[in-house]
Amino acid sequence: MYRSRWSRASSRVRRWQVVAVGAVAVVAAGVGIGVASAGETVPTVNCPQVKINVAVPAQQQADVQRNLQLLNTQIAEANNRLKSTVGQGGQNFIQNAILGPLKDKRISTIERIEIAIGRNAPRPNLNAATLAPCTLNTGGGASAQQPTSMPAATRTATAKPTTAPVTKAPATAPATTAPAATATVTAPATKAPTGTPVAVNGQLSVCGTKLCNQSGTAIQLRGMSSHGLQFFPNCVNAGSLDAIRNDWNADFIRLSMYVQEGGLETDPTGFTNKVNGLVDTATKLGLYVIVDFHILTPGDPNFNLGLAKTFFANVTAKHAGNNNVIYEVANEPNGVSWTAIKSYADQVIPVIRKNSPNSVVLVGTRGFSSLGLTDGATEQEIIDDPVTFKNVMYTFHFYAASHGADRRAAVARAAKSLPLFVSEFGTQTFTGDGANDFAGTTAWLDLLKSLKISYGMWSLSDGRESNSAFKQGTCSGTTFKGTGVLTESGRYIRSRILTGVGSPN
Ligand code: IDC
């Protein structure tokens, strides 16, 4: 089932590797290797401008703008590279080492703009193939800049102001600074309002194969996963969280913080601050909150190890006094062995535990968090070589129209030996789109209920895909309660959480 995802992913891994090589070289420029001597004419790059000729939906403007700015950053980096490598390499050096990688980066960026617009409007064709290649201004001079303004959809006029994302890093300390010492970070946590999930259950722990509340009783948490925070910046806020808490009776929100695809790596400070702010918003409502380090492509979590350590150090320092934060260290590892995933978890968990010693940690499993099933493995490899820290659970993800009875049988079997948490599932195929399979979803959720396995549905967003729980345009407004703002999948999950019986009506 995951074949096509996987082949797509592997080609993107290669692209990211190219980007990484480029980035290393740019860093080297900073230490002055091969800087052009005075009087030498250094060429600059000459890139076509990307023209957005369609209206950009309000929800996606920040994302599109960030990517337009990225095109300028890429131009600047290429110019620096041209300067620092004068005289290096043979005839094809500039093409192979500078213009080629620049083209790859531009293709990804232009495609991301298309995808972003396509979330809430027809996906435009911005001619990435034609616009990506840049030529050389052999006589030097300034490179043409990429304009970053865009035609806005008319609905913007009434849209509520965007709370995020920040397009420029704020002046506060960058996320790369070392975390504060434990002693200075024990700010008292906000007290959860009476009767809320956190007030009732308090600090969670893992007891045997189950999730337990502060009294040691096994419980099941039901909640929602956000979509990528960078893709739908207006969908997770005090209003929508109040709706899932007080109108749906949900127990948690999962904050899906993508690392790639325009996520954390493009603005570590901005995304770290955004997550910290949303944890506070959820805390005030008495919700549990899962901080999801949403890796997907590349699928080896070790690729992002450094970013993960810095990110979790910061978030746990800010929320050391909280009893409601669950840390998910890697969304869906793919194309890697369990051994590699475990090695990553062994390095990240101590960073989390330094500030937040009692928190429950979720570890993604092999094959897109399929317990290895997608790769033809089974849960046995985890049972044979488990993560040895306390209060750890393993994630399992399903998409009801793709994953049926055989996977349910495997989960029932695995749950006898391993603490499982379904931090993400969908009512459709694993593409997150297409027809909803509510019969399959109900079979899954009934099984999870009987096993007391917690679950969160993908996703609290208002896009075109069938996974979006909100109708398009909802997140630009201020009404999130009731069924009027919900799609079929949204109505199904609200009803399931609220009444125990799922219904799309
Ligand atoms: C999908 C989104 C889609 C986005 C894609 C890549 O719905 O808009 O373009 O990711 O970023 C997962 C992943 C989750 C996927 C989801 C549906 O954790 O990121 O979201 N899915 O494909 N695993 C299985 C399915």
Side-chain angles (χ1 to χ4, degrees), residues 2 5 8 115 119 227 231 254 258 261 294 296 331-332 368 397 399 424 429-432 458 465 467:
Y2 280 89
R5 269 185 81 85
R8 190 184 57 176
I115 292 169
R119 286 180 201 289
H227 200 288
F231 293 140
R254 175 189 193 231
Y258 272 69
E261 301 186 53
H294 203 86
L296 191 58
N331 165 48
E332 290 189 353
F368 298 95
H397 293 174
Y399 278 75
E424 183 186 308
T429 67
F430 66 78
T431 62
W458 184 264
E465 296 173 338
N467 70 67

Side-chain angles (χ1 to χ4, degrees), residues 157-170:
T158 53
K160 111 183 127 84
T162 306
T163 46
V166 213
T167 42
K168 249 178 93 193

